[in-house]
Amino acid sequence: MKPVRILLGACLLLAAQSSLAAGVGVRAGTLGVGGDVAVEVMPTLSARVGYSWLSFNTSIDSDDVEYDAKPRLSNGNLFLDWSPLGPFRITGGVVFNNNRIDVTAVPTGGNFTINGVVYPASSIGRMAGTVESGQAVAPYLGIGYGNVSGAGVNVYFDLGVMFQGSPKASLTATCGAAMSPAQCAQLQSNVAAEAIDLQNSVNNFKYYPVANIGVTIGF
């Protein structure tokens, strides 16, 4: 998130040394909980820098395997807000994201079914992996209401799409002590096939919906 920190500092410095309108905002939404700093560049146009974070627990089903999943969202944003119609605006920019989901396979009825083969849970040490965003720098386009750089206390919201690309999935497993080398090799082959199934299940999530609502203080 170094680019975001640099741009955030630049916005604060510019606002402090000029008479341009500026403001700060706090928000919550599909990218997590975070905030923004914005400065007016010219009438109807402002630059906005922000950061948001969120972590929670859920579950994912892929083929015959169920996973405990922990999404970890970490997003820095650099936006331009254009307001040709009063408080209504069009927003474009990029999101510097480090979003990922950590997954751990959970046995069903004391067994794992991997690529059609049933393994007792006790025969596998651990099967886990990650699903990561396809692009670390994702273009963003959206609409909204309210500007962070507006004077006074105001409400603002965003509604748009982050073009994150197809997520990338990986999966590994450790063999239990009772497994022979041949059984372990077969397990690794089946896990590789399951990783492909997991990848196929997330391929279509190229677009991440963004919806935020927050409160601003302008000065």
Side-chain angles (χ1 to χ4, degrees):
M1 294 302 165
K2 187 176 180 180
V4 176
R5 292 197 298 269
I6 294 173
L7 291 166
L8 176 59
C11 278
L12 289 171
L13 182 62
L14 181 60
Q17 296 182 346
S18 72
S19 60
L20 297 177
V24 296
V26 292
R27 55 178 164 81
T30 58
L31 291 179
V33 178
D36 295 291
V37 174
V39 61
E40 184 183 64
V41 177
M42 61 180 67
T44 75
L45 185 67
S46 64
R48 176 162 43 124
V49 179
Y51 177 75
S52 56
W53 177 90
L54 183 65
S55 179
F56 60 95
N57 295 312
T58 185
S59 61
I60 295 176
D61 290 320
S62 174
D63 199 11
D64 296 322
V65 181
E66 181 178 342
Y67 299 93
D68 281 339
K70 187 168 187 177
R72 302 173 185 268
L73 307 182
S74 177
N75 295 277
N77 58 273
L78 171 59
F79 292 159
L80 286 176
D81 295 323
W82 180 47
S83 307
L85 299 172
F88 296 96
R89 57 178 160 78
I90 299 172
T91 297
V94 293
V95 178
F96 302 90
N97 76 86
N98 188 27
N99 298 331
R100 60 182 288 162
I101 305 174
D102 296 323
V103 297
T104 303
V106 178
T108 302
N111 298 306
F112 291 106
T113 302
I114 306 171
N115 196 32
V117 179
V118 178
Y119 294 90
S122 59
S123 68
I124 298 177
R126 185 171 183 264
M127 187 166 76
T130 60
V131 178
E132 299 182 47
S133 177
Q135 297 186 135
V137 181
Y140 171 86
L141 183 62
I143 58 174
Y145 178 90
N147 284 296
V148 176
S149 59
V153 178
N154 299 285
V155 173
Y156 74 113
F157 72 81
D158 294 290
L159 185 63
V161 177
M162 180 173 72
F163 302 90
Q164 65 178 357
S166 294
K168 301 173 183 177
S170 62
L171 193 63
T172 61
T174 55
C175 300
M179 276 193 172
S180 68
Q183 290 173 324
C184 184
Q186 184 60 49
L187 171 64
Q188 299 304 326
S189 177
N190 289 328
V191 169
E194 172 59 27
I196 293 174
D197 288 336
L198 181 60
Q199 178 66 59
N200 290 337
S201 69
V202 300
N203 272 339
N204 292 328
F205 292 94
K206 299 178 182 179
Y207 311 106
Y208 189 93
V210 176
N212 294 311
I213 186 167
V215 177
T216 74
I217 301 176
F219 48 90

